[in-house]
Amino acid sequence: METPHDPHSINYRIREGLARIATIMRVDEWNRAKTLGLNPTQLAILTALDGRMTGLSVKDVAAHLGISQPTATDSLNALEKKSLVERRASAEDRRAVRVHLTTDGASTLQSHQPDRLAERAVASLESGQHQELLVMLVTMIRELQDQDAIPQQRMCVSCQYFLPFEHSGSSQPHHCKFVDAAFGQSELRIDCRDQLLSTPQKRASDWNKFQAGSAPL
Ligand code: SF4
């Protein structure tokens, strides 16, 4: 018989919940990849390359996807055969090779996006919950970055253009120097194409300001 006294810690049970959501997200990715004639790894590579003007090295691709370099190379070879990515010499070091999305690769990503189950689940939350969840996700992703478990993501909280709580007290407390505009917590970006990674010192100081401003009153 089930009892309300679960022997597992709340952290364990949150992880169980995240695992269920991750399963649905994998189903979403399989479905989308299938409609595009790709496998999920190939689709994830195209997504990781999207909006990166300087491309990524094979090592970066592997780190972003959490896969081995040989697996990344196999998938890149398949994508190259389909003319969805191309390898180019790096502008800084002609001996280094960077992988870029081709025009066909970019339009493949823009094409048909089936209704996603995970987005339906997110849509079931109320608007205040969306914002809270977004801030929690930013916090968890940042922690994983700090542990070098994942590469730096293109998030506002690690962006050179980010001024956290520059307009404290306003409904749009943050400022983006790239577009010179204020924005709210609910507009924080996880993967912004215009992000410029800030220095470790700015990242640490911005994070302190961000956490202090985000704390419940
Ligand atoms: S450029 Fe993008 S990541 Fe940087 S602060 Fe502006 S919106 Fe955020």
Side-chain angles (χ1 to χ4, degrees):
M1 186 179 136
E2 290 282 326
T3 77
H5 303 295
D6 193 313
H8 295 303
S9 68
I10 187 167
N11 289 359
Y12 182 93
R13 281 173 280 133
I14 288 172
R15 189 182 167 285
E16 284 181 320
L18 290 173
R20 302 301 178 274
I21 302 293
T23 302
I24 286 302
M25 293 182 74
R26 273 197 298 279
V27 171
D28 281 342
E29 291 311 300
W30 267 107
N31 289 340
R32 177 149 192 247
K34 207 160 82 183
T35 61
L36 297 173
L38 303 170
N39 66 37
T41 304
Q42 292 167 356
L43 175 58
I45 290 176
L46 295 187
T47 306
L49 290 171
D50 190 25
R52 293 189 192 269
M53 304 314 287
T54 55
L56 288 173
S57 67
V58 176
K59 191 175 163 202
D60 293 337
V61 168
H64 274 279
L65 270 67
I67 57 178
S68 69
Q69 285 194 50
T71 302
T73 301
D74 286 348
S75 296
L76 286 169
N77 290 343
L79 288 168
E80 209 167 24
K81 275 197 197 128
K82 294 174 200 259
S83 303
L84 300 178
V85 302
E86 62 189 5
R87 289 173 164 91
R88 291 187 219 150
S90 158
E92 288 96 46
D93 175 0
R94 306 302 296 169
R95 289 163 305 172
V97 171
R98 311 279 293 176
V99 185
H100 294 257
L101 209 56
T102 61
T103 311
D104 282 353
S107 40
T108 297
L109 271 184
Q110 299 306 318
S111 57
H112 178 61
Q113 302 215 2
D115 188 20
R116 297 187 187 199
L117 297 167
E119 279 170 31
R120 271 194 243 164
V122 173
S124 72
L125 300 175
E126 289 173 11
S127 63
Q129 293 176 314
H130 285 131
Q131 185 171 301
E132 280 172 34
L133 180 58
L134 183 61
V135 172
M136 286 178 210
L137 290 172
V138 166
T139 306
M140 290 166 71
I141 292 168
R142 187 182 176 279
E143 174 63 21
L144 291 170
Q145 288 177 173
D146 274 6
Q147 292 175 15
D148 284 332
I150 55 171
Q152 288 287 337
Q153 306 297 305
R154 298 183 290 186
M155 300 200 292
C156 290
V157 291
S158 44
C159 178
Q160 187 63 33
Y161 301 118
F162 184 50
L163 298 177
F165 290 97
E166 180 74 357
H167 314 287
S168 254
S170 140
S171 61
Q172 294 191 303
H174 308 305
H175 197 88
C176 170
K177 284 195 286 175
F178 184 77
V179 289
D180 195 19
F183 66 99
Q185 287 279 72
S186 61
E187 292 159 297
L188 286 165
R189 307 287 286 271
I190 301 272
D191 191 28
C192 174
R193 290 166 171 231
D194 302 312
Q195 198 244 30
L196 184 64
L197 187 64
S198 54
T199 61
Q201 292 78 5
K202 176 166 163 46
R203 290 206 292 275
S205 136
D206 284 352
W207 184 248
N208 287 339
K209 284 185 211 162
F210 180 75
Q211 273 194 311
S214 301
L217 296 174

